[in-house]
Amino acid sequence: MRSARLALLLLSALLTGCTSPGPTGQAAAAPADVTAALDPVSSPQWATDMARFAAQDADQPPPAHPVVFTGSSSVRMWATLAADFPRQPVLNRGFGGSQLRDAIWYADQVAVRYQPRRIVLYAGDNDIDAGRTPEQVRDDFRAFVARIRRDLPEVPIAYLSIKPSPARIDQLPAQQRANSLVKVEAAQMEDVDFIDVATPMLDAEGRPRAELFGDDNLHMNARGYELWRGIVAPYLR
């Protein structure tokens, strides 16, 4: 564990300064060594989401030290989040379509600024769909943890595994490899959990359970989120 922590601290040093927000809500430029290791944001549209989060905070201050859920649309569309975890002050900061590296660039806006008690991340689904490799997902996960640890060294982090879906059934092997790589990585880190939401979403033949998804066969319906609630709840106690 000591060697893993040392490696994490070294990576954290490389990431220093990479997510300071600019005056327009854009992710600020990072030092050259960081940009060499971390790809740019996947889309400029995330600046709009960051402005929306800031407006929501101004209109209704978020709870103190919340459990922050962030990542892509599977978090953004979790409309019952507060009701599903009534004993926890939860805050939804998902931005649909985002990739794992976007959560790194915008870590200040979606997590750090709230001084959370815990961070739950769902990302990697869109990364694989965009052609990124499982190894890139693993590396970006490692960088996300290092970025959070820079400012929040004691805050637990949980990573929700990439979910299988009927719409992306052809990507299932790559998703499963990414999940395996991240699981191994997380096991070497302190206060980092890998939460397997993917395996219970498969049927006896190893295919995504269609009854958990909406009409687009990509995003979950109420039954899907009910399944996730039961899996995630023990990690929030």
Side-chain angles (χ1 to χ4, degrees):
M1 291 300 286
R2 182 172 297 178
S3 60
R5 178 179 288 183
L6 178 59
L8 195 59
L9 289 172
L10 289 174
L11 183 58
S12 179
L14 288 176
L15 288 167
T16 299
C18 73
T19 56
S20 298
T24 62
Q26 299 272 358
D33 59 332
V34 174
T35 54
L38 183 65
D39 288 339
V41 293
S42 65
S43 171
Q45 77 182 59
W46 310 138
T48 301
D49 290 88
M50 300 308 121
R52 174 169 56 84
F53 293 152
Q56 290 175 351
D57 292 344
D59 182 61
Q60 183 174 355
H65 306 298
V67 176
V68 169
F69 283 72
T70 190
S72 58
S73 56
S74 291
V75 169
R76 181 182 63 82
M77 298 174 68
W78 199 337
T80 59
L81 194 62
D84 286 343
F85 306 107
R87 297 183 179 181
Q88 298 285 344
V90 298
L91 182 66
N92 190 321
R93 284 297 175 261
F95 48 121
S98 62
Q99 298 181 27
L100 213 164
R101 68 186 186 273
D102 300 320
I104 303 169
W105 282 105
Y106 289 107
D108 281 333
Q109 292 94 326
V110 301
V112 174
R113 71 196 297 177
Y114 301 109
Q115 295 294 299
R117 66 185 63 193
R118 185 179 299 272
I119 297 170
V120 181
L121 172 70
Y122 179 80
D125 199 336
N126 294 321
D127 306 54
I128 298 296
D129 185 58
R132 292 179 72 77
T133 66
E135 289 74 18
Q136 285 176 306
V137 172
R138 186 262 327 272
D139 292 346
D140 285 347
F141 165 74
R142 184 188 296 143
F144 175 82
V145 173
R147 171 62 190 92
I148 296 301
R149 288 285 181 262
R150 192 194 84 188
D151 292 334
L152 304 172
E154 305 298 329
V155 171
I157 298 169
Y159 178 85
L160 304 180
S161 62
I162 301 172
K163 73 181 192 302
S165 63
R168 294 178 175 174
I169 184 64
D170 59 314
Q171 299 171 22
L172 185 57
Q175 292 173 345
Q176 291 177 327
R177 174 158 174 76
N179 284 337
S180 295
L181 291 172
V182 172
K183 182 178 181 179
V184 169
E185 196 72 24
Q188 302 175 55
M189 299 173 171
E190 268 193 72
D191 291 326
V192 177
D193 291 311
F194 175 88
I195 303 180
D196 182 11
V197 296
T199 302
M201 298 181 74
L202 297 173
D203 63 19
E205 297 180 352
R207 299 179 63 84
R209 295 167 53 190
E211 73 271 16
L212 301 176
F213 294 88
D215 293 338
D216 65 359
N217 284 322
L218 175 61
H219 297 101
M220 294 183 298
N221 57 24
R223 292 184 66 178
Y225 283 111
E226 182 179 0
L227 176 67
W228 276 28
R229 181 198 60 77
I231 298 170
V232 174
Y235 291 88
L236 303 188
R237 291 175 182 166

